[in-house]
Amino acid sequence: MEVVVLAAGKGTRMYSSQPKVLHSIGGQAMLERVLTTASKLNPNNMHVVVGFGADAIEAHFANSPLSSLNWVTQSEQLGTGHAVQQAISEIDITTDDNQVLVLFGDVPLISEATLQDLIAQCGPDTLSLLTVVTPEPHGLGRIIRNDLAQVEAIVEHRDANAQQLLINEINTGIMAIPAAKLARWLNMIGNNNEQKEYYLTDIVALAAKEGCKVTATQASDDKEVMGVNDKVQLALLERHYQGQKMEALLRSGVTLRDPTRVDVRGNLTCGRDVEIDSNVIFEGNVALSDNVIIGANTVIKDAKIGAGTIILAGTHIDGAEIGEHVTIGPTARIRPGTILHNNVKVGNFVEIKKSTLGEGSKANHLAYIGDAILGTNCNIGAGTIFCNYDGANKHKTVIGNNVFVGSNSVLVAPVALQDNAFVAAGSAINTDVPSEHLAVARGKQRNIAGWKRPTKDTGSH
Ligand code: UD1
Ligand code: MG
């Protein structure tokens, strides 16, 4: 079996400079979704017909794990039949049982099960169509059946007569076709129609006329076969997709305060008794262990969060590994490369980048910790800044166990604070502090007796 995905169209109604099929559903480009689903069918090749924005599309897949992608260029969009024709020379038509599965890059929610069903019906003498019954067939190709309910043809909306327009079973565009016959039929279709296009759908009448069997499987879920032509449809499918995700989470035991206000743009796995508040966005791969609580207005991307950890409202986490019984937030920012061990506490307005905090360490308020390694049970006072950048290079700060850094200190990296070191508040530390030492690095306080406050100027000289 070979897959041909049509993705050459411009997507005019998206009003975007980005090719339509790169717009995403659930955080993944529509075309990527289609190809990922198709790859589960183990096709020999996946031919992707591209035209508008071909370079951007190919670049998007440059590092894709999807194998056997074959890019086919259709420089002029002369119709769906013409598009498939561009790929046919790369498809084996010498064996009778090779088949071609045609997919659309802008029908993102098609499922593996539906496609399995479709290709199982296709054979050397059987073409199988995926259709759907819809109350709104406007603009779509109608399925024409004879008195015995056998499919005879597909007639495009713009070519249909008044009686045909009443038909509400429509062509989804997805079909499985015997390869050798497809190659022959494509040479037979013309563009003598309202749109002056080479319609792939015209092969159905050719098949029926030759006595090739045409099966039509009706999709049960119209969203699964719905194409995206504009941002309204993109948003509609996004909501549908998220709705399905949320239902699955709820059914697996996750508590969602409001399932309409959580978005998963990637993969989310949850342990038992996880609670997620409102306006939460998950991106990339996120794993939440048992009893994790996620507060409102939180964004979590590519992170692993250990059991019993609480993320308080307004927190942003990206690229971090977080241990058990950690508390973060409200309004904290955890950036890539951060590792927080068990029982760490990170409070409000704390930013941490590419740093490791050992078990039980705390930064409870207003701090920046970057490029640092902290041992266990350290306390980073409010207003502490790790100066990791000298304007040209980044440097590391290494802190042992039980270190106390007083409020409003700056630690100028590279610098090390050994076990049990204590930094007095307001210090600017640019020299290593040995174990058990107190470091004071600030101007000495002077108290001046009898000092007169300035008085208000009266205007007389
Ligand atoms: C097509 C079907 C119609 C079906 C509808 C479902 C034909 C002739 N009609 O109509 O029966 O009900 O889909 O949505 O097949 N494309 C190319 N190259 C081209 C033309 C199209 O790659 O030259 C791609 C488009 O990017 C799109 C897909 O093929 O992904 C469908 O093309 P579109 O123009 O949207 O076809 P419809 O008129 O919607
Ligand atoms: Mg369309």
Side-chain angles (χ1 to χ4, degrees):
M1 193 263 294
E2 315 236 2
V3 169
V4 175
V5 182
L6 306 191
K10 185 157 186 228
T12 311
R13 282 173 285 163
M14 298 294 274
Y15 297 103
S16 170
S17 46
Q18 198 183 28
K20 176 164 77 174
V21 293
L22 290 187
H23 289 268
S24 60
I25 296 282
Q28 191 177 34
M30 291 195 281
L31 178 59
E32 202 173 342
R33 238 168 229 295
V34 172
L35 290 171
T36 303
T37 304
S39 69
K40 293 179 185 152
L41 307 168
N42 295 316
N44 290 336
N45 289 295
M46 296 197 289
H47 310 275
V48 189
V49 181
V50 288
F52 179 79
D55 291 346
I57 295 173
E58 288 178 43
H60 181 90
F61 288 88
N63 300 313
S64 165
L66 289 164
S67 56
S68 58
L69 281 185
N70 177 35
W71 301 102
V72 177
T73 307
Q74 184 195 25
S75 23
E76 252 189 303
Q77 279 78 66
L78 302 179
T80 50
H82 180 258
V84 174
Q85 179 113 51
Q86 308 312 300
I88 204 78
S89 62
E90 319 211 19
I91 291 171
D92 179 14
I93 54 169
T94 58
T95 60
D96 252 4
D97 52 3
N98 197 23
Q99 54 174 282
V100 174
L101 175 65
V102 175
L103 302 173
F104 286 178
D106 57 3
V107 179
L109 299 185
I110 188 70
S111 74
E112 183 194 351
T114 299
L115 296 180
Q116 288 285 13
D117 200 36
L118 202 66
I119 59 179
Q121 292 180 47
C122 180
D125 294 304
T126 310
L127 184 165
S128 54
L129 298 176
L130 183 62
T131 70
V132 70
V133 174
T134 169
E136 288 169 43
H138 188 87
L140 299 162
R142 305 300 201 279
I143 304 295
I144 312 297
R145 291 174 184 267
N146 64 18
D147 295 344
L148 299 170
Q150 293 159 330
V151 177
E152 277 191 326
I154 297 175
V155 175
E156 290 306 300
H157 182 98
R158 285 163 72 171
D159 303 296
N161 62 35
Q163 189 144 24
Q164 290 166 332
L165 287 176
L166 297 175
I167 297 169
N168 59 8
E169 183 184 9
I170 61 96
N171 172 36
T172 64
I174 294 171
M175 53 182 93
I177 314 154
K181 290 198 162 76
L182 172 63
R184 190 162 50 77
W185 292 331
L186 284 175
N187 285 326
M188 295 163 71
I189 59 176
N191 66 349
N192 184 19
N193 51 53
E194 166 73 20
Q195 301 186 79
K196 297 283 170 264
E197 281 186 6
Y198 295 89
Y199 291 161
L200 178 64
T201 44
D202 282 354
I203 68 169
V204 174
L206 294 172
K209 238 174 252 156
E210 286 182 12
C212 176
K213 193 172 162 199
V214 180
T215 66
T217 303
Q218 289 183 353
S220 50
D221 175 5
D222 63 343
K223 302 288 191 312
E224 187 193 335
V225 295
M226 188 175 150
V228 171
N229 295 306
D230 58 28
K231 295 286 174 80
V232 174
Q233 291 166 332
L234 186 71
L236 191 77
L237 284 195
E238 178 72 29
R239 282 305 102 210
H240 179 72
Y241 173 85
Q242 294 298 344
Q244 286 181 321
K245 280 259 163 196
M246 293 314 125
E247 186 172 342
L249 286 173
L250 290 166
R251 291 202 185 283
S252 72
V254 176
T255 299
L256 304 175
R257 297 292 171 210
D258 182 349
T260 68
R261 286 190 287 162
V262 176
D263 281 56
V264 176
R265 301 174 192 160
N267 299 308
L268 172 67
T269 61
C270 294
R272 284 178 89 85
D273 294 306
V274 166
E275 288 180 30
I276 301 171
D277 212 324
S278 301
N279 296 330
V280 176
I281 298 172
F282 296 98
E283 295 177 350
N285 292 311
V286 176
L288 308 179
S289 298
D290 296 350
N291 300 299
V292 165
I293 298 175
I294 308 291
N297 303 321
T298 295
V299 178
I300 302 180
K301 179 181 178 188
D302 294 322
K304 250 167 106 171
I305 299 183
T309 285
I310 300 176
I311 311 296
L312 296 164
T315 292
H316 194 285
I317 297 175
D318 179 5
E321 213 174 297
I322 292 158
E324 300 179 359
H325 303 288
V326 170
T327 311
I328 304 177
T331 56
R333 181 173 181 209
I334 310 297
R335 292 171 52 197
T338 296
I339 299 173
L340 306 181
H341 287 282
N342 297 347
N343 302 309
V344 159
K345 279 189 77 179
V346 176
N348 44 276
F349 308 112
V350 173
E351 174 181 352
I352 305 180
K353 186 216 87 172
K354 211 176 178 181
S355 296
T356 298
L357 272 65
E359 187 159 350
S361 285
K362 292 176 190 152
N364 276 333
H365 338 258
L366 300 152
Y368 172 65
I369 302 175
D371 298 309
I373 296 176
L374 284 73
T376 59
N377 298 311
C378 292
N379 193 328
I380 305 301
T384 299
I385 303 295
F386 286 50
C387 302
N388 57 333
Y389 185 51
D390 60 13
N393 296 298
K394 299 274 171 69
H395 302 282
K396 282 205 159 66
T397 300
V398 179
I399 297 184
N401 300 327
N402 285 310
V403 171
F404 185 98
V405 178
S407 294
N408 212 37
S409 294
V410 295
L411 308 179
V412 183
V415 73
L417 282 61
Q418 293 175 353
D419 291 355
N420 299 303
F422 195 107
V423 172
S427 290
I429 301 293
N430 60 5
T431 308
D432 292 356
V433 182
S435 180
E436 316 278 345
H437 283 60
L438 165 68
V440 189
R442 64 187 182 214
K444 206 171 165 66
Q445 183 174 340
R446 290 186 300 151
N447 290 340
I448 298 169
W451 181 71
K452 294 272 180 297
R453 287 193 189 192
T455 53
K456 216 173 175 77
D457 198 342
T458 58
S460 58
H461 298 284

